[in-house]
Amino acid sequence: MFSFHNTPRLLASTCCGILLTAMPVAGSAEQAGYYGYGESPTDEQIAAWDIDIRPDGTGLPEGSGTVDEGMAVYETHCASCHGAFGEGMGRYPKLAGGDGSLAEDRPEKTVGSYWPYASTLWDYIHRAMPFFAPQSLSDDQVYALTAYVLNLNYIVDGDFVANKETLPKVEMPNRDGFIWEDPRPVVNNERCMKDCIDEVAVSDSAEGKNLTPSTTGPLDEGITE
């Protein structure tokens, strides 16, 4: 006997039956080998992600900023974390000072003591600062901040104007302090499938090259913690 009390259960059973019947049809709509993941990005989408600035200044946009303009931007967006003169606050890092400290047990890595290129300083500020609102500054504000931070480290004078022509010409104190050639051995050997040797002898490693601290054996000389 038909009953309105059983109607919802009857409708649910009917719908499930229709859905289960339709699923194989929907699954067979795609051809084998086509997974439907993503789509080719447009030039505009690629340009939105392509924001890196190279050491030679490639990628720097139009615009400019002075040291004085940078001081105003810095006081508004940066001083609460990095201190009024780049001395750092709490756990936020110093931006200035640390001259000649890189060889000490506790080096102070600042823009003046450590950073190799002024153009990549622009990249970092543009990409990641302010800490609580990254990429919220205009290009001119980033140029001004870069000029001010360089001035805090006595790298440029107070009348310096940062732009895409001047930043690549700034000589950073630690520019020659980096080794750009990768010293690690090439280990991309092809997998042996037959007549393989029984034992493999390690002929080289990063140990002793003062690259990264050892976590399983004795510390490399010069690394104290």
Side-chain angles (χ1 to χ4, degrees):
M1 179 182 292
F2 180 82
S3 172
F4 283 102
H5 179 73
N6 295 328
T7 300
R9 184 179 301 175
L10 177 62
L11 287 174
S13 300
T14 303
C15 291
C16 287
I18 294 173
L19 180 61
L20 291 173
T21 303
M23 286 179 66
V25 177
S28 63
E30 304 292 354
Q31 297 179 354
Y34 176 78
Y35 301 102
Y37 294 142
E39 59 184 9
S40 299
T42 65
D43 292 340
E44 291 75 13
Q45 290 171 329
I46 293 175
W49 284 91
D50 185 15
I51 63 173
D52 66 294
I53 308 300
R54 305 297 174 83
D56 63 359
T58 299
L60 282 169
E62 298 292 339
S64 65
T66 67
V67 172
D68 288 343
E69 292 168 343
M71 181 172 63
V73 179
Y74 183 91
E75 290 176 346
T76 301
H77 298 282
C78 314
S80 61
C81 294
H82 295 293
F85 301 100
E87 70 275 23
M89 299 284 284
R91 293 183 178 272
Y92 291 98
K94 297 181 178 180
L95 299 181
D99 300 343
S101 69
L102 296 184
E104 298 177 357
D105 289 342
R106 294 187 178 278
E108 291 186 354
K109 295 182 179 180
T110 71
V111 171
S113 70
Y114 182 73
W115 210 280
Y117 299 107
S119 56
T120 57
L121 176 61
W122 194 100
D123 179 292
Y124 184 79
I125 295 173
H126 175 248
R127 183 185 302 270
M129 295 290 117
F131 181 74
F132 298 104
Q135 300 185 31
S136 62
L137 301 176
S138 69
D139 290 347
D140 287 344
Q141 287 177 312
V142 177
Y143 273 121
L145 272 178
T146 304
Y148 181 67
V149 174
L150 292 174
N151 181 256
L152 282 178
N153 284 278
Y154 305 104
I155 296 173
V156 300
D157 295 330
D159 59 354
F160 177 74
V161 179
N163 55 46
K164 68 178 185 179
E165 283 79 28
T166 60
L167 281 186
K169 298 177 182 177
V170 174
E171 291 286 343
M172 302 296 282
N174 194 41
R175 181 166 185 162
D176 297 326
F178 285 78
I179 299 175
W180 301 110
E181 183 178 352
D182 190 346
R184 293 173 295 182
V186 177
V187 293
N188 297 327
N189 294 329
E190 293 185 6
R191 178 177 298 179
C192 178
M193 303 301 291
K194 56 182 291 188
D195 300 330
C196 303
I197 59 176
D198 296 331
E199 296 182 1
V200 176
V202 179
S203 60
D204 200 356
S205 73
E207 184 177 2
K209 293 184 171 60
N210 204 20
L211 298 174
T212 55
S214 173
T215 57
T216 57
L219 294 175
D220 291 346
E221 183 179 357
I223 298 178
T224 58
E225 60 184 37

